[in-house]
Structure formats: C-alpha cells, structure tokens
Amino acid sequence: MTKATIAIVYHSGYGHTARQAHAVEQGVTQLPDVATLLLTAQEAPEHWHRLALAEAIIFGAPTYVGGPSAVFKAFQEASSNAVMSKGLGWKNKIAAGFTNSGSRSGDKLATLMQMALFAAQHGMHWVNLALPPGNCSSVGRETDLNRFGFFLGAAAQSNTDEGPEVAPPEADLATARYLGRRVAETTLQFVRGRNPG
C-alpha cells in the first residue's frame, strides 16, 4: 500500500490559526496510509530535510494587514536559499493553504494568493478547496462549510475579542478538516499514479 507524508507548516500569532492547523491535520488523518508532520514556521527551517521527504505541504498563516504574517514570510524567504536555489527541491509536491483573520473578509484572498504563488515558484501543484460557497442564500447558515465562499483555500474568521478556545467557529474548523482530507486524497492519487503497482 502506498503511503504518503503530508506536512503542515503554519504560523499562529494568538493561537487561532494553530487551532485551524490542527483541524487541517485532523482532516488529513481521516485517510489511512497518510502520516502528518506538523511544524510551526519557526520550527520548519530546522526540518528542511523532513519537508523534502513529504509528498505534500499545506501552508497556513494568519492574515495581517492584507498578507501573511511576518513570521510566515520569514519562513518563505528562508526557503528560497535552503530549497529553491538548490534545484527546486519541492518540485511536484502537492500544496494547499489556509488562513484566518479577525474580520469576515480581512483580505484573506491576498494571503491565499501569495501562498499559491509561493508554491508555484517552488514548482508545486496547488490544490484548491473544491467546495461551493456556503451561507450565500436565504436558506444558508453560518454553520455552512466554506461560509465565506473562498475557492483557493480554507478561510477562517476569529473574533478579535475571543481566544482560540472558542474561535474560529466550528464551521471554519470543519472547512479546514475538509481541506486536509482533500489534500490527503489528492496526494495519494498523485503518489499512486507516479508509482503504479
């Protein structure tokens, strides 16, 4: 049976995005034959070799002032010298992304776009959310998956006066789990296609 390792590299300033990262990991582990590697953006530079062995990397960061946090950007920039300049070491890996902000929009799309461009620069294959927008009709609910209608990745919202023990809400965590499972399914399809038999 083909096995795959899916890494999740994230930064969380206040704990909310960490909660989202753990939900992504829960989604990944819903499938057999998949192992996870959960690293903060601060830890990741000590584990370039482990990331090189992963079949997929899911990136996560809070959206601060219209883009990923500075800590996550530092990880991205460090990868340029450690991975990209040494022959596109992440080429043909699967990639995806998630983000969280204090407001409903928060310009989260800009963060997801930046992550997708980052993956493209590494030669990775980006996996989108593949969920219809939720909560977009008179019968929609705040509990719908993809309640903000993002397509590029999983988006969450955490009220700025609530801690990570209650925010982001379950709908956003369920969307993150959905993304994790989708990436796991896609990664296994990709790996098995590359190694038939």
Side-chain angles (χ1 to χ4, degrees), residues 6-9 24 56-60 72 93-98 112 115-116 118-119 124-129 152-154 179-180 182-184:
I6 297 176
I8 302 162
V9 177
V24 169
I57 306 174
I58 305 173
F59 304 109
F72 188 79
K93 291 186 187 300
I94 301 297
F98 61 94
L112 292 171
M115 289 176 179
F118 170 67
M124 303 171 83
H125 301 290
W126 187 263
V127 175
N128 58 49
L129 190 57
L152 200 56
L179 176 69
R182 175 164 162 73
V183 171

Side-chain angles (χ1 to χ4, degrees), residues 43-120:
E43 295 168 334
E46 302 299 319
H47 298 278
W48 295 126
H49 63 290
R50 296 178 73 191
L51 291 171
L53 296 174
E55 282 76 26
I57 306 174
I58 305 173
F59 304 109
T63 295
Y64 292 160
V65 292
S69 61
V71 172
F72 188 79
K73 283 291 294 173
F75 153 73
Q76 289 179 306
E77 291 175 17
S79 77
S80 176
N81 184 54
V83 180
M84 193 185 305
S85 68
K86 293 179 170 55
L88 287 181
W90 294 348
K91 182 179 178 182
N92 292 330
K93 291 186 187 300
I94 301 297
F98 61 94
T99 188
N100 175 73
S101 69
S103 63
R104 294 179 71 85
S105 170
D107 293 319
K108 289 188 275 278
L109 179 59
T111 296
L112 292 171
M113 290 173 66
Q114 204 289 319
M115 289 176 179
L117 287 170
F118 170 67

